[in-house]
Amino acid sequence: MTVPLSILDLAQVAEGSTPAETFASSVLLAQHAEAWGYRRIWYAEHHNMGSIASSATSVLIAHVAAHTSTIRLGSGGVMLPNHSPLTIAEQFGTLESLHPGRIDLGLGRAPGSDQITARALRRDPMSAESFPQDVLELQGYLTGETRVPGVQATPGKGTDVPLYILGSSLFGARLAAALGLPFAFASHFAPQALMDAAAIYRREFKPSAQSATPHFIAGVNVIAADSANDAHHEFHEAMLRRVTLLLGRGQTFTREESEAILASPGGQQMSEMARYSAVGTPDVVRDYLERFTAQVEADELIVATQAGTTEAWLRSFELLAGAMHPVAA
């Protein structure tokens, strides 16, 4: 494999499990991933989702960093409109001060929640409009070249935590290109604009102090298993869980109801969200990812795996690492 492999850990709380058990699994994955050669692990900010435990993203990063040594850790991403840039600069400046050279700060402009939850977060509905300015303000705090006279981030000033723009649309591609920042596209759940976003980002990229050349990260779903049947079973179970995650709104479905929803036109749209998925034995997964990388001209892949058990989850990443021989940081 000619590009690095990274991991998106969704910090999923399995049915009958607890957030504490999820965090223990995240630490275990990071420790293994460090030995297997993955470049980085990112955690995403989500709110009011009973099956995702990464809402306090910077706290989770700190916990995992304290139990690992070398692997890069970061946000994939922090939803900046939910926060003041100064607060995020202080949080990630603290992380970088504690774990120098290991912290990434991926930024998104989506709420990471529904409208009711956004109100509970005290989020201004118009705050996404100032996302580009907020990114620049945050960058100024971290470089020590503040854009707010008289205000510095402590910790944060001079830490130069690298920024990444996350997106699922052409807006993010154009912003990342204009600011000269790496760009991570959420093609693991929003595949429609992937090819256009990649082309626009590369075409419009302007070199910056952080990045002299474009760096495009593509998200992709992967479930690798020792047998094809096991892999496809895990993938189907993941799709059934997605029905509840995206459509449940506080209610649960029977297996029969989930199967019926997945087979409906609405369910087919949900399946389309997982268009970019490598499922099968390690050789099948490797072949898929090599084709995908070449097609997208990705500089890095970030992998999401939604297996039903910790054992299957870890095994998928282990098999993938063995098949792909990840490029280390």
Side-chain angles (χ1 to χ4, degrees):
M1 188 68 179
T2 57
V3 301
L5 278 179
S6 298
I7 294 172
L8 177 63
D9 180 354
L10 296 173
Q12 290 185 300
V13 183
E15 187 174 353
S17 185
T18 66
E21 291 170 323
T22 295
F23 299 146
S25 296
S26 290
V27 168
L28 187 60
L29 171 63
Q31 291 170 337
H32 283 303
E34 198 167 64
W36 290 334
Y38 287 93
R39 171 165 286 189
R40 69 183 96 241
I41 301 179
W42 281 356
Y43 307 91
E45 177 187 346
H46 292 284
H47 298 283
N48 196 29
M49 291 188 177
S51 61
I52 297 180
S54 52
S55 52
T57 313
S58 60
V59 179
L60 179 55
I61 293 168
H63 177 65
V64 177
H67 289 84
T68 52
S69 302
T70 58
I71 193 166
R72 297 193 67 88
L73 301 165
S75 58
V78 160
M79 300 298 108
L80 191 54
N82 292 340
H83 313 275
S84 75
L86 178 60
T87 297
I88 297 303
E90 292 168 341
Q91 290 177 5
F92 279 78
T94 299
L95 287 169
E96 176 64 23
S97 299
L98 291 169
H99 308 282
R102 297 181 56 203
I103 303 301
D104 301 328
L105 177 48
L107 301 167
R109 68 167 182 154
S113 60
D114 54 39
Q115 291 183 352
I116 296 174
T117 307
R119 286 197 293 272
L121 287 165
R122 304 297 191 266
R123 182 177 187 268
D124 183 343
M126 299 303 294
S127 56
E129 300 301 317
S130 63
F131 180 66
Q133 293 75 26
D134 288 346
V135 171
L136 290 172
E137 181 181 336
L138 172 57
Q139 186 178 52
Y141 291 134
L142 293 171
T143 61
E145 299 176 0
T146 181
R147 291 172 175 262
V148 183
V151 178
Q152 300 285 353
T154 305
K157 179 182 178 181
T159 55
D160 293 307
V161 177
L163 302 184
Y164 297 75
I165 299 298
L166 277 60
S168 57
S169 69
L170 304 186
F171 175 89
R174 290 195 167 98
L175 178 62
L179 299 182
L181 295 175
F183 179 50
F185 191 85
S187 36
H188 62 293
F189 73 83
Q192 289 82 1
L194 171 62
M195 300 306 296
D196 288 342
I200 287 171
Y201 171 66
R202 291 193 177 281
R203 184 172 65 245
E204 299 183 6
F205 182 86
K206 297 178 180 178
S208 68
Q210 179 177 322
S211 301
T213 57
H215 186 82
F216 184 77
I217 305 173
V220 60
N221 300 291
V222 172
I223 294 185
D226 292 290
S227 75
N229 285 341
D230 286 348
H232 286 281
H233 172 75
E234 288 288 351
F235 182 72
H236 185 69
E237 293 297 310
M239 294 303 298
L240 292 177
R241 290 191 297 273
R242 186 173 287 193
V243 169
T244 299
L245 177 66
L246 297 181
L247 302 178
R249 300 185 182 278
Q251 65 177 321
T252 57
F253 300 110
T254 66
R255 185 178 182 85
E256 290 73 18
E257 289 170 335
S258 295
E259 293 278 11
I261 292 170
L262 198 58
S264 71
Q268 293 304 306
Q269 293 180 357
M270 196 176 305
S271 296
E272 170 61 15
M273 293 171 63
R275 181 197 307 174
Y276 296 118
S277 298
V279 181
T281 55
D283 57 334
V284 170
V285 167
R286 181 191 62 239
D287 291 347
Y288 180 97
L289 293 182
E290 288 178 345
R291 292 194 305 271
F292 176 76
T293 301
Q295 179 186 17
V296 181
E297 298 184 63
D299 300 297
E300 183 175 342
L301 299 182
I302 190 159
V303 173
T305 292
Q306 299 180 50
T309 66
T310 299
E311 293 74 20
W313 188 58
L314 290 173
R315 182 61 173 159
S316 182
F317 287 118
E318 180 183 15
L319 292 172
L320 176 60
M324 303 298 285
H325 305 294
V327 177

